[in-house]
Amino acid sequence: GLATVLGTMYFWWRDVLKESNTPGMHSAIVRLGLRYGMTLFIASEVMFFVGFFWAYFNFLIFPETQGDGQTVWPPSTIHTFDPFHLPFLNTMILLLSGTTVTWAHHCLLEGNRKGLIQGLGITVLLGLSFTFFQALEYMHAPFKFVGGGVYSSTFFLATGFHGFHVIVGTCFLIVCWMRANNGAFTPQRHFGFEAAAWYWHFVDVVWLFLFVCIYWYGAGQIA
């Protein structure tokens, strides 16, 4: 099933790229449809994360619903992360990556191919750095996903799926970096890069909510 999905994605996107290089294929209406499609995709991703935040705030506002006699959130048995250690570092990394991808977009619009490639390259490195530090954070987590209760479930699902989206966004940007090196983008036609930038900014915003709501506002006893 996974191979089928990956194969479908590859051949579909390959055909979209071929069509974009064929004169007359990507008309203004087709490009508008691509924009609407990406917008609706990101909107669906927003609602995906709303479910995790809904679960988290349900237990934060009504901690007695956790069971096990707990009446506080986070549970008294849980030691949370120091929000101004690795989580804050990752926040700075993602915010910086948002500025570098915007710089790359500006360079593209100005016809500065070298700046575009450099900006995308730096953004990719920052995305990889975020993934590395999140993996390091998980390795030193004072609570575990399996058998850790409601708190660990909501924490790892919300932050873990965000981490997965960072990996997907990083792959998206790597493809854009490769295409930029091949001269595939012009100031007039570059929706592939624009879609990647939209997705990356979405990932940034979701992390800001995670940092503020879960790491900072939801902090309990620091490990």
Side-chain angles (χ1 to χ4, degrees):
L2 178 61
T4 301
V5 171
L6 293 176
T8 301
M9 291 164 59
Y10 172 78
F11 290 111
W12 178 28
W13 289 334
R14 183 200 63 178
D15 290 344
V16 170
L17 294 181
K18 284 184 177 179
E19 291 170 1
S20 70
N21 295 318
T22 304
M25 290 295 290
H26 274 194
S27 63
I29 294 178
V30 172
R31 294 197 301 273
L32 182 63
L34 291 173
R35 291 177 182 275
Y36 281 155
M38 191 64 190
T39 301
L40 291 173
F41 170 68
I42 292 177
S44 71
E45 292 283 74
V46 169
M47 299 311 298
F48 177 79
F49 279 100
V50 163
F52 295 127
F53 281 107
W54 190 299
Y56 185 84
F57 277 100
N58 174 69
F59 294 117
L60 187 149
I61 298 171
F62 306 107
E64 64 276 4
T65 59
Q66 300 172 73
D68 298 329
Q70 290 286 344
T71 57
V72 294
W73 184 264
S76 58
T77 56
I78 292 290
H79 288 76
T80 61
F81 291 100
D82 180 356
F84 295 103
H85 191 236
L86 282 179
F88 185 73
L89 174 61
N90 268 346
T91 302
M92 294 297 101
I93 288 173
L94 276 191
L95 289 177
L96 180 58
S97 72
T99 63
T100 55
V101 77
T102 301
W103 168 48
H105 191 194
H106 175 75
C107 290
L108 173 58
L109 296 176
E110 295 293 321
N112 181 358
R113 184 163 168 261
K114 180 180 179 182
L116 166 64
I117 294 171
Q118 288 178 342
L120 276 173
I122 294 171
T123 306
V124 168
L125 291 176
L126 290 169
L128 293 173
S129 298
F130 177 93
T131 301
F132 170 78
F133 284 118
Q134 187 168 40
L136 187 64
E137 177 185 89
Y138 280 6
M139 290 171 59
H140 294 87
F143 47 85
K144 304 300 179 184
F145 180 69
V146 178
V150 173
Y151 181 86
S152 63
S153 296
T154 53
F155 175 87
F156 282 116
L157 282 173
T159 60
F161 269 111
H162 174 267
F164 172 73
H165 282 71
V166 169
I167 293 172
V168 171
T170 303
C171 293
F172 203 170
L173 291 171
I174 289 173
V175 172
C176 288
W177 180 81
M178 295 169 62
R179 295 187 66 202
N181 274 285
N182 293 328
F185 299 125
T186 68
Q188 295 76 32
R189 300 175 72 90
H190 55 267
F191 177 70
F193 169 81
E194 209 168 357
W198 290 359
Y199 188 84
W200 196 252
H201 288 308
F202 156 73
V203 167
D204 284 353
V205 171
V206 171
W207 176 257
L208 288 177
F209 278 99
L210 288 171
F211 176 76
V212 172
C213 298
I214 295 181
Y215 284 101
W216 179 62
Y217 184 73
Q221 304 177 74
I222 304 300

